Amino acid sequence: SLVTASNDGVLRLWNTSQLVRGAALASPQFETPFLYTVAVAANRAAAAGDEGVVTVLQLPSLAVLQRIPMPGPVWSLALSSTFLVCGCEDQLGSFVFSYDPKYKAADFLIANHQAISGAAAQRAKHSVTILNGDAARPAAVRQAVGGGVSMGQGYDFQFPVDLGTGDGELQIQWNNGDDPTDVATRFCLTNRLPTGHVNEIVQFIQQASGQAPAQDSSGGTPIPTNIPAPSVQADMIAQITALGVDEARARDALDRAGWASVEAAVHLLF
């Protein structure tokens, strides 16, 4: 499963083939309901963003377990069975919460946090709406708008992603017209994830961008879209063997890279 946060203030739970449900976390009165971060641990997820409220939810129901007001926007989260770490704006720093009473902070620290989080405390009272199935699909996707900016480059789509692998929150971005398999393969290689995640991520991209999975001519099982012709495969293998790699290793690296590019395969070899 994937859990994503988005610029419309909705946390979404996906399985490998479809959007399951969402939770509208942002209060309607807040002008920029962007969710910047999501973290997953066991059967819980935490999400937060511009309005400065951390919401902890049960998985897979997305029932709200707790809403924690913060003194400002929350840019990053880390979640474990014992701790919740919240990274706020630079001038605010980070805050650590624990589910274990033995780590309880001094009373004056708790009082100070409550005092500086007063504005968000009112927003934290907003009730969360659970959206099931297609009701959770973002309007921005239906209208092909949204996205974000990463490393100075604009994208039509950008989502924080937690695969539950212990690697924390990652960012996946793509543009309209990009091949989902290429995007998924590049995402795995960039983040040093097993390429076994490619099919799962492809299905997420197709769902998030409103694309239908590629079908064979009979309309049955989805078919891969990124395997090059034999002549192209031979040329790619030749480029790698020219670097002193034997043909078997070259082919194995290209298979693991999903035949996305020679550079991707070389990245796995060296």
Side-chain angles (χ1 to χ4, degrees):
S1 297
L2 297 174
V3 180
T4 63
S6 62
N7 284 359
D8 61 358
V10 178
L11 182 82
R12 291 180 174 86
L13 174 68
W14 310 72
N15 64 21
T16 56
S17 61
Q18 65 181 350
L19 174 63
V20 178
R21 63 179 55 89
L25 304 184
S27 57
Q29 296 80 15
F30 203 71
E31 294 182 359
T32 54
F34 302 154
L35 292 178
Y36 295 137
T37 178
V38 59
V40 175
N43 61 347
R44 291 179 295 124
D50 216 18
E51 69 172 348
V53 177
V54 179
T55 304
V56 182
L57 308 101
Q58 185 80 32
L59 294 177
S61 66
L62 298 187
V64 175
L65 300 176
Q66 190 176 16
R67 304 204 80 193
I68 306 171
M70 300 297 293
V74 179
W75 292 95
S76 61
L77 293 170
L79 181 65
S80 72
S81 59
T82 305
F83 295 104
L84 170 65
V85 182
C86 308
C88 295
E89 291 182 322
D90 289 344
Q91 69 270 24
L92 297 174
S94 299
F95 297 82
V96 181
F97 299 86
S98 177
Y99 295 98
D100 190 331
K102 73 180 181 182
Y103 295 108
K104 181 182 177 182
D107 290 342
F108 79 92
L109 289 176
I110 296 175
N112 180 67
H113 181 268
Q114 292 173 343
I116 63 177
S117 304
Q122 294 301 313
R123 294 192 290 271
K125 296 177 182 178
H126 164 69
S127 60
V128 172
T129 302
I130 303 300
L131 308 167
N132 290 301
D134 287 341
R137 187 175 298 279
V141 168
R142 293 194 297 268
Q143 299 166 7
V145 299
V149 176
S150 177
M151 300 298 288
Q153 179 176 348
Y155 292 93
D156 295 320
F157 300 93
Q158 178 168 303
F159 291 90
V161 174
D162 192 319
L163 287 168
T165 59
D167 295 298
E169 180 188 295
L170 305 171
Q171 292 283 335
I172 186 168
Q173 309 99 357
W174 70 93
N175 289 311
N176 286 315
D178 287 352
D179 182 270
T181 305
D182 289 343
V183 174
T185 302
R186 183 171 63 249
F187 175 79
C188 287
L189 293 173
T190 300
N191 294 286
R192 298 185 179 276
L193 295 172
T195 52
H197 286 296
V198 166
N199 288 338
E200 178 183 6
I201 296 170
V202 165
Q203 291 171 336
F204 164 70
I205 292 169
Q206 290 170 335
Q207 287 288 327
S209 54
Q211 301 177 39
Q215 301 284 325
D216 64 18
S217 58
S218 65
T221 305
I223 59 175
T225 58
N226 67 323
I227 304 301
S231 60
V232 177
Q233 292 184 36
D235 179 65
M236 296 172 74
I237 291 171
Q239 292 182 56
I240 297 177
T241 55
L243 300 175
V245 178
D246 63 64
E247 182 175 343
R249 286 186 65 210
R251 182 177 291 277
D252 176 68
L254 287 163
D255 282 337
R256 287 188 290 131
W259 293 87
S261 68
V262 170
E263 291 77 10
V266 170
H267 178 76
L268 295 175
L269 287 166
F270 301 103

